[in-house]
C-alpha cells in the first residue's frame, strides 16, 4: 500500500509505503498515484488504550446507563429501571450514590418491583440486585457469598455470571468505534481473565494484550478490606516472576503496600501501577527509584470532579490522578481510558490531561504520547520510521492543528499491520 502526501514527524510531507505489515519506505512525494491520498494530513503511530475492560465495554450495548450524567437523580433512575417491558431483566451500569443514595435489594424493589434488576456501581466493584433478580437466579439469600440478604455483591462477577441471562456483547461495535478514534491496540485489564477471553476478543480488529495471559503482566487487584501485608503481596509477586505485575492501586494504603512489596520482591521491566488514584508527593522519589510505570486516568478528576469533592478525603484531594508531577519526577507514565468505567474516547482523556487544574496539566504533545506507547512498555513512545509496525492513524489535518483541536474528529483512517480497519471513504 502507498499512502501519499502525508505529514510524518521528522520527515515533513512525504509518501509512505507499507508492506508485509510494516513501513517499508518513507520518501519524497512522487508522481505515482497512491492507494490513499493523505491530502497533507498527519500520519501517526496508532493509539493504544493501555487500560480497558473490553467485555464490560461490549456489554454496554445491552445495558442502561444510570450514572449522574445520565439518570441525574432518583426520578431519573426509577424511570430508567422501569423503561423496558415488565418481567425482562434490566442491566444498569455506571451508578453512583449521588444519584439516589446507597442501594440494596429493598431500595431497588421499591424502584422497580415488577422485573429482575441488577445495578453495577461506577467503580465496577459492586453489583446490587433486587428481589426479583435474586429469585430468578435462585440466590434468594442474596449478599456476599449468597447469605447476606441485602442483594449487594462485592467483586463477585465471576460467580454471578452463571446466574444471569446471556448478555449480548457488541465487540464488533467496540472495535469499530475504537478504530474511529485511531486506536490500534488494547490492553485488557480484567483481574481474572478466563482462558477463553482472548478467543472471545479475537473478533476485534485491534491488537490485544490480555493481562494474565501469555507474557502479559499479571494483574493484582487490591481492596482495603482484604489488603494483604507487604510481605504477603511480595510473596505473590515473587511467585509470578519473571513476569511483570500490574497492581490496582486506588487508595493511599494500597499504593504504600505495593511499593513496599515491590521493594521486597524486586522490580522488573514492565511492572505497572494501575490507576495510581492517590499518589502522595513523598512517594514520587520511591516510584522513580523502582522504575515502575503508572498507567493513569487523568480524565477522572474532570468527569467525576463533583463527586470527588465530597467522596475523597480532603488529605487526598491534592494527590488525585497525578500526571505532570509524575512526568517531572522521571516516573514512566501512560494512560488508559478504563472504559466502560470512564470515557472510551482517548482524545477526551487527552483534553482532560491538558485542561487539568492543580498543576497536573501536561502539554498537548505529552497528552498524545500517553496513548502512543508500546503495548508491553506503555511509557516508551513509538515513532513512525522505516521498519516500524504499520499500526497507523491518518488524520484529516497536520499534527499542529490536531493537537490544537484534540478531538477524535481529526481521525480519518486507521491501519493495523498495514490493513485499513476503518471504512473506506
Amino acid at each position: 500500500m502507498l499512502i501519499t502526501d502525508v505529514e510524518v514527524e521528522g520527515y515533513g510531507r512525504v509518501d509512505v509505503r507499507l508492506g508485509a505489515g510494516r513501513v517499508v519506505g518513507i520518501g519524497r512525494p512522487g508522481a505515482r498515484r497512491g492507494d490513499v491520498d493523505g491530502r497533507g494530513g498527519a500520519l501517526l503511530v496508532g493509539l493504544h488504550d493501555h487500560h480497558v475492560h473490553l467485555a464490560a465495554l461490549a456489554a454496554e450495548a445491552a445495558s442502561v446507563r444510570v450514572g449522574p450524567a445520565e439518570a441525574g437523580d432518583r426520578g431519573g433512575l426509577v424511570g430508567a429501571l422501569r423503561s423496558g417491558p415488565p418481567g425482562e431483566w434490566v442491566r444498569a451500569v455506571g451508578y453512583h450514590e449521588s444519584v439516589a443514595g446507597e442501594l440494596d435489594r429493598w431500595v431497588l424493589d421499591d424502584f422497580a418491583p415488577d422485573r429482575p434488576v441488577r445495578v453495577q456501581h461506577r467503580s465496577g466493584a459492586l453489583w446490587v440486585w433486587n428481589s426479583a433478580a435474586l429469585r430468578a437466579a435462585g440466590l434468594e439469600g442474596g449478599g456476599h457469598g449468597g447469605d447476606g440478604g441485602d442483594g449487594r455483591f462485592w467483586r463477585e462477577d465471576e460467580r454471578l455470571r452463571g446466574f444471569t441471562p446471556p448478555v449480548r456483547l457488541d465487540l464488533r461495535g467496540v472495535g469499530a468505534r475504537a478504530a474511529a478514534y485511531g486506536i490500534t491496540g488494547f490492553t485488557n485489564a480484567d483481574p481474572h481473565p478466563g482462558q477463553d477471553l482472548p478467543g472471545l476478543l479475537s473478533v476485534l480488529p485491534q491488537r490485544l494484550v490480555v493481562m494474565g495471559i501469555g507474557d502479559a503482566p499479571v494483574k493484582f487487584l487490591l481492596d482495603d478490606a482484604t489488603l494483604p501485608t507487604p510481605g504477603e503481596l511480595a510473596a505473590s509477586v515473587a511467585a509470578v516472576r519473571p513476569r511483570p505485575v500490574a497492581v490496582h492501586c486506588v487508595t493511599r494504603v494500597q499504593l504504600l503496600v505495593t511499593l513496599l512489596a515491590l521493594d521486597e520482591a524486586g522490580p522488573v521491566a514492565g511492572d505497572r501501577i494501575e490507576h495510581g488514584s492517590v499518589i502522595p508527593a513523598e512517594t514520587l522519589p520511591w516510584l522513580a527509584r523502582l522504575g515502575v510505570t503508572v498507567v493513569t486516568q487523568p480524565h477522572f478528576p474532570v468527569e467525576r470532579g463533583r463527586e470527588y469533592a465530597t467522596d475523597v478525603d480532603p488529605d487526598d484531594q491534592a494527590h488525585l490522578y497525578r500526571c505532570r508531577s509524575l512526568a517531572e519526577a522521571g516516573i514512566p507514565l501512560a494512560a488508559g481510558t478504563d472504559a466502560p468505567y470512564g470515557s472510551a474516547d482517548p482524545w477526551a482523556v487527552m483534553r482532560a490531561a491538558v485542561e487539568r487544574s492543580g498543576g497536573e496539566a501536561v502539554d498537548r504533545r505529552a497528552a498524545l504520547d500517553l496513548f502512543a506507547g508500546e503495548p508491553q512498555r506503555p511509557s516508551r513512545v513509538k515513532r513512525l520510521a522505516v521498519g516500524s509496525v504499520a499500526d497507523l492513524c491518518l488524520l484529516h489535518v497536520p499534527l499542529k492543528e490536531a493537537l490544537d483541536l484534540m478531538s477524535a474528529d481529526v481521525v480519518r483512517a486507521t491501519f493495523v499491520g498495514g490493513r485499513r480497519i476503518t471504512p473506506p471513504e
Side-chain angles (χ1 to χ4, degrees), residues 268-328:
V268 302
D271 281 343
R272 303 160 48 135
I273 299 291
E274 304 301 311
H275 309 300
S277 306
V278 180
I279 299 182
E282 59 269 22
T283 65
L284 297 183
W286 196 354
L287 279 162
R289 176 173 59 79
L290 288 170
V292 61
T293 298
V294 175
V295 179
T296 187
Q297 287 75 46
H299 53 312
F300 278 4
V302 176
E303 292 181 359
R304 306 176 178 184
R306 186 182 69 177
E307 292 83 16
Y308 282 174
T310 56
D311 293 355
V312 176
D313 189 300
D315 289 342
D316 290 338
Q317 293 281 351
H319 309 301
L320 288 174
Y321 292 95
R322 291 181 178 275
C323 208
R324 180 175 179 175
S325 57
L326 294 178
E328 289 180 342

Side-chain angles (χ1 to χ4, degrees), residues 228-238 257-258 260-262 264-265:
T229 66
E232 290 168 342
L233 181 57
S236 297
V237 170
V257 167
T258 298
L260 287 166
L262 289 175
E264 182 174 337

